[in-house]
């Protein structure tokens, strides 16, 4: 079996900030803050490695169920992150896309998210997708609505709706399917993340909490991926 190259598209469910905070007997908001440091390092490394797309799950449509204090802390961090990092990311030629419903976000955050996309739209380096107010089922329903609207207007016929047409209405339009999905903290579920795009993804569940996920752990996951035998339903030998 030959060793695979690096994944083209890595997706990460950054999980475990809450448990990390609990372990260190500090507020959950500080766990999230520590998690942002990990995120910075992983983005930088992915860009340096020449990975094509990196998708990070930052806030799900279900995360609104958390306490108002925790949601406010996450919204604050988000705004802080986009304000402080945008220059460096732009300099690194990173193209930012937000996956999820930006218009359902508070005013300032919404503006920062639109600005990040607009400012980096001509960049040609790492495709950095940040999933915020994202749910995979909502994304699929939105795609179905868009296709139905086109059909009603007569722009397409129902029989034109194939996998490519559907994929073209997803937030990840134009990017390769996920090759490697990493979820930290030991949880082994998708939590409504990229259900369509992960159809043939390889999964890695490193047992560390997100704030402890360092570059060595990232490389371990990438190496594990390179030793997988991906068959896509066929046979390799
Ligand atoms: C992931 O960490 C970050 C977000 C969901 C925003 P969690 O906050 O889910 O951490 P745990 O699962 O409680 O440890
Ligand atoms: C998924 O993690 C969402 C993010 C990492 C942003 P959660 O911690 O919200 O998922 P569940 O609730 O454990 O499934
Ligand atoms: Mg969690």
């Amino acid at each position: 079996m030959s060793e695979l190259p690096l994944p083209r598209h890595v997706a990460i469910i950054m999980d475990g900030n809450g448990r990390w905070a609990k372990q260190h007997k500090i507020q959950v908001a500080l766990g999230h803050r520590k998690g942002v440091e990990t995120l910075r390092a992983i983005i930088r490394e992915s860009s340096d490695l020449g990975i094509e797309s990196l998708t990070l799950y930052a806030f799900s449509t279900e995360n609104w169920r958390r306490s108002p204090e925790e949601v406010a802390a996450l919204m604050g961090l988000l705004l802080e992150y986009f304000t402080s990092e945008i220059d460096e990311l732009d300099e690194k030629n990173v193209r930012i896309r937000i996956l999820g419903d930006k218009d359902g976000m508070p005013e300032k955050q919404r503006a920062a998210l639109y600005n990040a996309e607009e400012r980096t739209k001509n960049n040609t380096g790492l495709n950095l997708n940040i999933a915020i107010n994202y749910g995979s089922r909502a994304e699929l329903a939105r795609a179905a609505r868009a296709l139905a609207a086109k059909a009603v207007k007569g722009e397409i016929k129902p029989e034109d709706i194939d996998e490519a047409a559907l994929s073209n209405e997803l937030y990840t339009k134009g990017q390769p399917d996920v090759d490697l999905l990493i979820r930290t903290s030991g949880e082994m579920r998708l939590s409504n993340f990229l259900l369509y795009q992960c159809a043939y993804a390889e999964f890695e569940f490193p047992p560390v909490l997100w704030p402890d996920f360092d570059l060595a752990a990232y490389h371990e996951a990438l190496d594990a991926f390179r030793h997988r035998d991906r068959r896509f339903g066929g046979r390799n030998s």
Side-chain angles (χ1 to χ4, degrees):
M1 183 189 83
S2 63
E3 221 170 77
L4 284 166
L6 277 173
R8 289 178 69 192
H9 188 167
V10 178
I12 308 184
I13 303 176
M14 311 183 287
D15 200 13
N17 294 347
R19 276 161 284 171
W20 190 89
K22 204 168 230 168
Q23 252 181 25
H24 290 78
K25 300 190 168 53
I26 54 176
Q27 290 169 13
V28 66
L30 294 173
H32 291 310
R33 186 171 283 284
K34 183 74 181 168
V36 175
E37 285 177 30
T38 303
L39 168 151
R40 277 200 192 96
I42 296 299
I43 293 173
R44 202 175 306 126
E45 185 70 1
S46 304
S47 165
D48 292 349
L49 287 170
I51 283 171
E52 197 173 317
S53 292
L54 173 68
T55 302
L56 301 173
Y57 205 2
F59 193 88
S60 73
T61 45
E62 287 75 33
N63 286 145
W64 297 108
R65 294 179 187 156
R66 296 191 179 190
S67 73
E69 294 75 26
E70 183 173 355
V71 169
L74 284 165
M75 291 298 136
L77 266 179
L78 236 151
L79 190 59
E80 198 181 309
Y81 176 79
F82 278 94
T83 314
S84 66
E85 299 295 304
I86 187 74
D87 288 339
E88 189 190 325
L89 291 169
D90 192 22
E91 249 160 57
K92 270 194 165 294
N93 199 21
V94 170
R95 168 147 188 201
I96 299 172
R97 288 185 185 82
I98 305 303
L99 316 187
D101 180 16
K102 296 190 285 287
D103 294 330
M105 294 290 286
E107 185 60 43
K108 281 187 188 158
Q109 282 76 3
R110 182 190 330 171
L113 299 179
Y114 274 105
N115 172 60
E117 285 186 326
E118 181 60 28
R119 217 181 121 176
T120 63
K121 70 176 182 205
N122 295 318
N123 289 351
T124 54
L126 173 72
N127 286 304
L128 174 62
N129 306 309
I130 308 192
I132 296 172
N133 198 15
Y134 174 86
S136 189
R137 288 178 168 182
E139 177 184 34
L140 289 166
R142 175 180 174 270
R145 267 196 309 278
L147 291 169
K150 284 184 183 170
V152 166
K153 279 196 240 154
E155 292 169 14
I156 55 169
K157 294 194 284 295
E159 50 275 28
D160 296 332
I161 300 177
D162 55 11
E163 293 179 17
L166 179 59
S167 164
N168 217 26
E169 299 294 342
L170 300 178
Y171 292 117
T172 47
K173 169 186 174 167
Q175 299 186 59
D177 278 348
V178 174
D179 295 303
L180 171 63
L181 182 283
I182 300 171
R183 181 172 189 150
T184 57
S185 88
E187 304 296 353
M188 296 180 191
R189 54 176 172 266
L190 281 175
S191 302
N192 204 11
F193 190 46
L194 304 176
L195 304 180
Y196 184 91
Q197 296 89 335
C198 281
Y200 263 105
E202 298 294 327
F203 290 73
E204 275 292 313
F205 299 104
V208 293
L209 302 174
W210 177 249
D212 293 326
F213 186 69
D214 57 13
L215 294 186
Y218 188 30
H219 278 278
E220 233 174 80
L222 293 171
D223 285 344
F225 169 84
R226 297 170 106 162
H227 290 91
R228 296 287 176 85
D229 187 16
R230 299 183 85 192
R231 290 186 289 275
F232 300 98
R235 292 193 200 285
N236 283 338
S237 54

